[in-house]
Amino acid sequence: MSIFFGCKDDECPLRYATWFEALLLANLLSERHEPPLAPCYELSECEGELGRGVTCGRVGLTGGAASVYEREGYRLPTEAEWEYAARAGTRTAYYGGDITGTNPDARVDPEPSLETIAWYAVNSAGRTHLVGTKRPSRWLLFDMLGNVAEWTNDRPVFGEAEGPATNPATPIDVRTDSARDLRVTRGGTAAGARDMLRAAGQNYPSSDSVHRGIGIRLARTIK
């Protein structure tokens, strides 16, 4: 299916932003907050213009912080935070219920548990939609699933980790020992089949990706 057409209103989800631009946006909102908040991220060796695919060679946390939880400014959620928020206290595949279909090959069949809460491949008509037009979760969060996927702080962790999982799962710094610095996105897109919209579903594009199906949801640590 070809996406994403239409939806150019101010209330449409923000798209086409690299992971680095998501961090820069978070810092900008922190600086414009009243009173101003200490920005969460330090970015350097950056190239490009904000809104046109900025990439950076180095990323860290301000003030020498060991974790994003030590900073008060706006930031991306960790992968664990994102899933916790998306589930909103539920244990089903979606916060609207479990997968009802039994045919594993019917990836684009209608899913009753998604119809009222998410824009996805079956009901989106191949485009993104205004935010907040589907039913929110019990925590009153809209569009956690579908419409656009959302960047998180973390890099993907492949294979089974030894011992208990940690949060954040990975350091914030840009990976330089690989051809690409991958970052986890969550939530699935308006073109996503029902299996891609599970609360546990994930994808991991490169941090410099400019994609019509990836958006931003910011968080803050409140002490």
Side-chain angles (χ1 to χ4, degrees), residues 9 18 36 44 53-54 72 83 105 116 124 134 143 151 156 161 165 175 178 187 206 209-210 212 221-222:
D9 190 273
T18 66
S44 59
V54 171
E72 66 173 357
E83 184 169 334
D105 297 322
T116 63
S124 70
K134 288 289 187 178
D143 298 292
W151 289 114
R175 186 171 182 178
S178 178
S206 176
S209 296
V210 179
R212 56 193 177 185
T221 299
I222 305 297

Side-chain angles (χ1 to χ4, degrees), residues 59-81:
V59 173
L61 299 176
T62 58
S67 166
V68 290
Y69 294 115
E70 298 177 14
R71 311 311 297 151
E72 66 173 357
Y74 290 99
R75 57 179 176 80
L76 290 178
T78 67
E79 190 179 1
E81 280 181 313

Side-chain angles (χ1 to χ4, degrees), residues 17 25 46 62 68-69 71 97 115-116 123 128 142 159 166 170-172 200 211 215 220 223:
L25 174 62
C46 297
T62 58
V68 290
Y69 294 115
R71 311 311 297 151
E115 285 297 318
T116 63
N123 65 11
T128 52
F142 291 89
T166 59
T170 58
I172 193 70
H211 196 281
R220 277 188 60 200
K223 299 181 179 180

Side-chain angles (χ1 to χ4, degrees), residues 104 118 133 138 201:
T133 51
R138 66 175 67 175

Side-chain angles (χ1 to χ4, degrees), residues 11-220:
E11 296 301 315
C12 292
L14 188 154
R15 301 176 289 136
Y16 294 102
T18 66
W19 181 77
F20 302 104
E21 289 178 305
L23 307 190
L24 290 168
L25 174 62
N27 280 354
L28 182 62
L29 290 178
S30 296
E31 294 165 358
R32 292 185 176 182
H33 189 274
E34 289 295 337
L37 302 170
C40 185
Y41 305 107
E42 286 183 347
L43 299 95
S44 59
E45 302 176 15
C46 297
E47 298 180 352
E49 180 184 349
L50 187 61
R52 298 182 179 275
V54 171
T55 61
C56 300
R58 298 176 65 87
V59 173
L61 299 176
T62 58
S67 166
V68 290
Y69 294 115
E70 298 177 14
R71 311 311 297 151
E72 66 173 357
Y74 290 99
R75 57 179 176 80
L76 290 178
T78 67
E79 190 179 1
E81 280 181 313
W82 188 96
E83 184 169 334
Y84 182 80
R87 290 190 178 280
T90 66
R91 293 180 178 272
T92 48
Y94 322 110
Y95 54 86
D98 247 327
I99 297 174
T100 61
T102 57
N103 181 2
D105 297 322
R107 298 177 65 249
V108 293
D109 278 4
E111 175 50 68
S113 295
L114 280 175
E115 285 297 318
T116 63
I117 67 170
W119 295 110
Y120 70 118
V122 173
N123 65 11
S124 70
R127 63 185 182 90
T128 52
H129 292 259
L130 298 175
V131 300
T133 51
K134 288 289 187 178
R135 179 169 60 84
S137 71
R138 66 175 67 175
W139 292 354
L140 301 182
L141 296 173
F142 291 89
D143 298 292
M144 290 297 295
L145 305 178
N147 223 5
V148 294
E150 297 169 354
W151 289 114
T152 70
N153 265 291
D154 298 342
R155 297 196 298 259
V157 177
F158 299 109
E160 294 188 13
E162 296 182 3
T166 59
N167 179 37
T170 58
I172 193 70
D173 57 294
V174 176
R175 186 171 182 178
T176 58
D177 61 344
S178 178
R180 296 192 302 162
D181 176 63
L182 305 180
R183 298 288 163 168
V184 176
T185 61
R186 290 296 205 110
T189 73
R194 64 188 184 193
D195 58 322
M196 295 301 297
L197 272 71
R198 294 176 301 113
Q202 63 172 198
N203 201 359
Y204 24 87
S206 176
S207 54
D208 61 0
S209 296
V210 179
H211 196 281
R212 56 193 177 185
I214 301 178
I216 300 169
R217 184 184 299 265
L218 299 179
R220 277 188 60 200

